[in-house]
Amino acid sequence: MRSLEKIRNQSFSKKSTNEWKEKAEQSLKGKTVESLHTTTFEKIILKPLYTREDELPVSDYPGGSDYRRGINPLGYLTNEWKVAQQISYQTADELMLKLRQAVEKGQTVLSFEVSKELIKANVFSEFYDKYPIALNANSLQTDLLTKLGSEYIEGEKVTGYIASDPISLFVEEGLLSEEYLQEWFKDIRLFNERFPQLRTVLINTVPYHNGGAHAVQELGIAIATGVFYLQQLQDSGLDLDTALSKMVFQFSIGSNFFMEVAKLRAARILWNRVTEVYGANTAKHGMQITASTSSFTKTVFDQHVNLLRTANEAFSAVLGGVQFLHVGAFDEMTGSNDFSERLARNIQLILKEESHLQKVIDPAGGSWYIESLTNQLAEKAWEFFKQIDCEGGILEGLKAGWPQKQISEVYGKRNLDIQTRKRSIVGTNVYAKLDEIVPYKQLMKKAESSFVKYSSIKMAAIPQRRLAEPFEELRIMAKQFEEKTGSVPSVAMLCLGELKQHKARLDFMKGFLAAGGIKSIESKPISKLDDALQFMTAINTNFVCFCGANEQYELEGHQILTALKAEFPERTFFLAGLPENERQSQWMEEGIKQFIHVKSNCYETLSSILGELEVTVNAEQ
């Protein structure tokens, strides 16, 4: 008993930040703690340690103050988030069947893509008074609500949202119609009388996210769009509180876990600030959020990794405090099936029932890191919102192309990081599986314009992208080469020295080439010219890469390269690694076309190799 009491009375001595810093720098072997700082696309500096000193005044409890901790005092204990899986279907009958199955297995909201064929069918009569609805109806919103309003459905029992965001449609299509917009505002006012509990105004940031926008841009555009709609709704005859009750914000949740949690928390802070300025009733300050896992981060190849991505994104969405959540199926890029859709739905059920996230009120609250990130995001997003306002507001800004330009610049930085493999996409630009067979289905096809019947003007569209697409295109090029020639595109690896001397660079090159669907042909350990000549005679590729340690390059590499270039002048030679500056010119004079190393642009290098192969094949045909 005395020993137990002694243990209970033990405590750790308090350590200062400076003491921690000293210990950390000892383990860093001369580097400073500041060397561990990283800068995000939002130009926020992330530190390795956050303390109470980083925490600014925050909400004391959820459902109060600035609403960063959620819009309900008891969080998901009393208002759990809705499982809003968007159900895929081919016919109205199939949708009805899948809706029945989904609600039996955990779906808590009716969600699917609206089509013209579906509007003609009666799919709501069985469910509308039992479950909320979560539909982005896009340009079909008026047709759908008109159809529902003309049926026997009791409008006051329809809850959730059947909403649309015309501005996001303008952004995707590159067309802007103020005539369409004015008609839409009139419809929203009329539908408010028929469906008083239904939200009909969507602020959809997904097109900006899929264009490459970072969190600050998404938030600033969301607030600017919300303010525009709020003002226009009041001008059309709705009072402030009613207008606010019609609105729901939609976000895509990306792969930067803590940034996405902070993004949702910051969104509520910003909207609270707007509603305070407008003088809205306090009960209307809370932001309703619907979220979906990001398609921007998903891949066609090695699709099961998408399960990890969606689970991570769903987790951050829940910690961020969403009201509706859709988790994409791991194979949604090529066409989901019942199994993958079930897995996607079960991710949410696991978070609820096994991770117990619905039983903890704001689990992220009080984290110094998240609170600091939230504050910085909110302030930067408010500045971005003010910049949009200086451009004349969201509509005028889009006409001038200002937000499009800002987003395009960020996408360029993201894309460069992926191409140089500074950031990894597992299964795509790193750890690619060469034996994988995946049917490629191009998504995001250009649909018929929503504004054919209305006068419109052209504006810069925001292309809907995925980060993995450039490398997926390389894999397709490699597959097409294989279909034409009957052989996989390849690069020969001329391995100098013993295994331990060339293995590191050999492994690097195999992974580097695999990202483009290119196979590596390994030689046996080579220490003399005769071995190299024998290997070169046996291979059937025009591309050869020297692999070895720096010592082997200097001892044997120059002699072997000079001889091989003279014997096989038509072949292209690479060198794995980056020699010192004064040695590079000598290697290039001897025949090395390119040095391939960790800072190389992987995409450009592989694209060049595949391009040359394509030219060779075309010339031979």
Side-chain angles (χ1 to χ4, degrees), residues 49-67:
L49 178 69
Y50 287 81
T51 67
R52 190 179 298 278
E53 297 170 4
D54 296 289
E55 185 180 20
L56 298 174
V58 298
S59 305
D60 293 328
Y61 55 89
S65 188
D66 58 14
Y67 293 94

Side-chain angles (χ1 to χ4, degrees), residues 159-214:
T159 61
Y161 67 89
I162 300 177
S164 179
D165 178 0
I167 291 178
S168 74
L169 296 177
F170 299 160
V171 163
E172 287 192 71
E173 295 192 19
L175 291 173
L176 188 151
S177 173
E178 297 199 35
E179 181 185 353
Y180 176 90
L181 200 56
Q182 293 310 312
E183 287 294 323
W184 181 74
F185 285 122
K186 291 177 185 177
D187 291 338
I188 296 301
R189 180 170 54 82
L190 294 174
F191 290 132
N192 176 58
E193 298 172 5
R194 184 70 179 88
F195 303 101
Q197 305 302 317
L198 187 70
R199 294 179 183 269
T200 51
V201 179
L202 188 67
I203 294 89
N204 181 17
T205 65
V206 173
Y208 310 102
H209 175 93
N210 287 342
H214 58 53

Side-chain angles (χ1 to χ4, degrees), residues 259-279:
M259 185 67 74
E260 297 301 313
V261 175
K263 180 174 80 178
L264 297 175
R265 293 163 71 85
R268 289 192 293 271
I269 295 174
L270 294 165
W271 194 237
N272 175 66
R273 189 180 296 183
V274 167
T275 52
E276 280 182 343
V277 171
Y278 269 84

Side-chain angles (χ1 to χ4, degrees), residues 309-539:
R309 297 181 180 112
T310 54
N312 179 75
E313 292 163 4
F315 191 11
S316 58
V318 172
L319 291 189
V322 300
Q323 280 64 58
F324 302 87
L325 178 59
H326 163 75
V327 177
F330 71 85
D331 54 355
E332 67 180 351
M333 295 297 106
T334 52
S336 61
N337 54 45
D338 290 343
F339 174 69
S340 61
E341 289 168 8
R342 174 190 168 200
L343 287 181
R345 182 175 59 246
N346 285 351
I347 286 173
Q348 295 202 53
L349 301 182
I350 289 170
L351 291 176
K352 279 191 176 192
E353 305 298 338
E354 297 188 27
S355 300
H356 303 298
L357 290 183
Q358 67 178 3
K359 297 180 180 179
V360 182
I361 304 171
D362 187 26
S367 162
W368 293 322
Y369 174 32
I370 293 177
E371 297 294 3
S372 174
L373 201 53
T374 299
N375 290 327
Q376 291 182 76
L377 268 183
E379 291 305 318
K380 284 180 175 289
W382 188 256
E383 291 302 314
F384 192 78
F385 160 64
K386 290 197 294 185
Q387 285 180 284
I388 295 174
D389 193 55
C390 289
E391 294 290 323
I394 187 64
L395 211 57
E396 294 302 316
L398 289 170
K399 285 181 186 177
W402 185 80
Q404 295 96 315
K405 182 181 177 183
Q406 303 299 311
I407 291 170
S408 179
E409 290 175 359
V410 175
Y411 173 75
K413 295 174 183 176
R414 291 187 190 276
N415 189 41
L416 182 61
D417 279 359
I418 296 303
Q419 290 189 4
T420 57
R421 306 204 302 176
K422 182 178 179 181
R423 296 178 188 270
S424 301
I425 305 177
V426 174
T428 299
N429 70 347
V430 295
Y431 309 121
K433 297 166 60 180
L434 283 178
D435 58 349
E436 182 178 18
I437 301 174
V438 178
Y440 186 79
K441 175 184 175 183
Q442 180 65 48
L443 295 185
M444 303 175 184
K445 293 180 180 178
K446 189 72 174 177
E448 179 185 344
S449 173
S450 306
F451 318 113
V452 174
K453 297 182 292 186
Y454 301 90
S455 60
S456 59
I457 60 172
K458 287 187 177 181
M459 69 175 195
I462 295 180
Q464 300 300 283
R465 302 170 164 126
R466 288 181 297 107
L467 275 174
E469 284 180 304
F471 279 94
E472 290 169 356
E473 290 167 3
L474 293 181
R475 297 282 292 276
I476 293 167
M477 286 176 64
K479 186 65 177 176
Q480 290 171 341
F481 176 86
E482 182 182 358
E483 291 171 352
K484 286 181 180 179
T485 64
S487 62
V488 178
S490 59
V491 173
M493 299 288 112
L494 203 154
C495 304
L496 297 180
E498 298 177 6
L499 178 64
K500 64 181 180 180
Q501 294 169 318
H502 64 247
K503 187 177 188 310
R505 281 179 170 153
L506 173 63
D507 288 346
F508 165 78
M509 285 302 305
K510 288 167 69 175
F512 187 96
L513 295 169
I518 300 174
K519 180 183 177 182
S520 300
I521 302 173
E522 302 172 35
S523 73
K524 295 178 180 179
I526 289 175
S527 58
K528 55 185 179 179
L529 179 58
D530 287 346
D531 295 335
L533 288 169
Q534 185 178 357
F535 175 66
M536 292 287 290
T537 304
I539 60 175

